[in-house]
Amino acid sequence: MSVFSPIVSFTSRSLGLLLIGVTVGTPLYAQQGAPKANDSTTPLHLLQPDYPVPYGQPKIDEVTGVLRRIYTYLDANTPTQLIDKETKKDIPTGGPFNPNAIFKPGDFRLISYEWGVTYAAMLQASEATGDPRYADYTHKRLQFITEQVPYFRNQVTADPKANTPMRSVLAPHALDDAGAMCAAMIKASRTGAVKADMRPLIDNYINYIQTKEFRLTDGTLARNRPQPNTLWLDDLFMSVPALAQMGKLTGDKKYYDEAVKQVTQFAKRMFNPQKGLYMHGWVEGMAVHPEFHWGRANGWGILTAVELLDVLPENHPGRPAILDLLKAHAKGLAAQQSGSGFWHQLLDRNDSYLETSATAIYVYCFARAINRGWLDPLAYAPATLLGWNAVATKVTQAGQVEGVCVGTGMGFDPAFYYHRPINPYAAHGYGPALLAGSEVINMIKKHTFEINDSSLQLTQKK
């Protein structure tokens, strides 16, 4: 087990008394036959704790190594090629349409909301590390997707519900289809590296969000499952970042206004100000709402606020409310962090399992908010680094992210959340882990830390 040792200064005699017969990570009192240690002979506060994850500031090259492992795994296991689903043979570019054409299967789909997060995260990883390979990953795959539009357009037009690789792009029928992919495409379009014209796809996604998704009577984006007129916290992220990015792309204030409206209307129904947490689901007409504070949904909630604040003009009248909500949510989340650095599947139920994707999202959001000046680094940076150290332990040498809850609907009983499976092929963990590591790198570049009285502290000028 890796343990970061505090840097201390005391006499060599005391050091000898402290270390004789002591194994790192094992409490001194547990050592059989070890010299008696008391306050007269040994500075007991300097005994080595048995931390379950590394404690202290990670080095930038260590964080970069984790990101590189994820990239290497994903680049090798998400191919860009059309094949015949029956013969498994490659379909050459420019040939006649083959109704059996599919994207060559890899470990993950190239088009999904989870991969929208991953595409945006790869762009950010390039910015943080200076390594163009991450951005190239996104540019190559978005180029490939855009180039398939003419090939599949007639098939999807003839049957908008057809199970084809491009159905969700050309005929989205849920916010999950539209928002995250749209936001990633807008971010990638601003780099200028994708030569294919993504704007028609972006406009199609935005048109779905703005005009086709079901809404409550006050305009709040909603679903009719599992109950009529249901709000899913997840849907904030599946809509608002795309709207916010569209505002940035076009300069049109209406997109910012709609984004702020959605966040504030969700929050007034679903945010518990006493706990500083969101409930996962809300149903219109229910007199009592069982509040299940699911980890990843709260991740989507705070990530939405961060994404919106990233581009919302400083003079927008809705900005102060969004910033206040971010601060209240961060405070509530910080209070629920476990001693291992992870957060729980149900945030306020400590007997639910520790979950990686939610933890990674919180690490990213805390680090981003610290780096943008929205959160106090003195208060939040140590928890952020602790969270990153936890996430890093779940990235295998092969680059897979473990401990990630699979896709999850909305429920009103605890067993549903407690027993959701975890799986390294749950796509939800990869983008958040890349985001978290990238922004932690930026945070470490901007701030210094020290071990003071054995605890990690932000270094302040005295």
Side-chain angles (χ1 to χ4, degrees), residues 370-390:
I370 288 167
N371 292 336
R372 292 289 192 268
W374 305 329
L375 290 179
D376 181 358
L378 189 63
Y380 287 95
T384 304
L385 292 181
L386 179 64
W388 168 254
N389 289 341

Side-chain angles (χ1 to χ4, degrees), residues 132-203:
R133 288 178 295 179
Y134 299 98
D136 289 346
Y137 176 94
T138 293
H139 297 147
K140 177 181 178 181
R141 283 155 183 83
L142 293 184
Q143 177 85 18
F144 171 76
I145 291 166
T146 307
E147 288 174 346
Q148 307 315 308
V149 169
Y151 191 84
F152 286 97
R153 181 184 285 117
N154 290 341
Q155 184 188 35
V156 175
T157 300
D159 184 3
K161 295 183 179 180
N163 184 24
T164 71
M166 292 290 288
R167 194 277 311 157
S168 65
V169 178
L170 295 170
H173 61 229
L175 291 175
D176 286 0
D177 290 342
M181 285 294 299
C182 180
M185 284 186 174
I186 296 174
K187 291 177 181 180
S189 72
R190 295 210 302 270
T191 71
V194 180
K195 301 309 178 185
D197 183 9
M198 294 185 290
R199 185 59 187 265
L201 303 184
I202 291 168
D203 289 342

Side-chain angles (χ1 to χ4, degrees), residues 17 19 57 68 150 183 196 199 236 239 245 258 331 419 436 441:
L17 288 171
L19 295 180
Q57 177 186 328
R68 192 177 299 117
R199 185 59 187 265
L236 273 182
S239 58
Q245 287 295 322
E258 179 66 13
K331 183 178 180 180
H419 299 289
I441 288 173

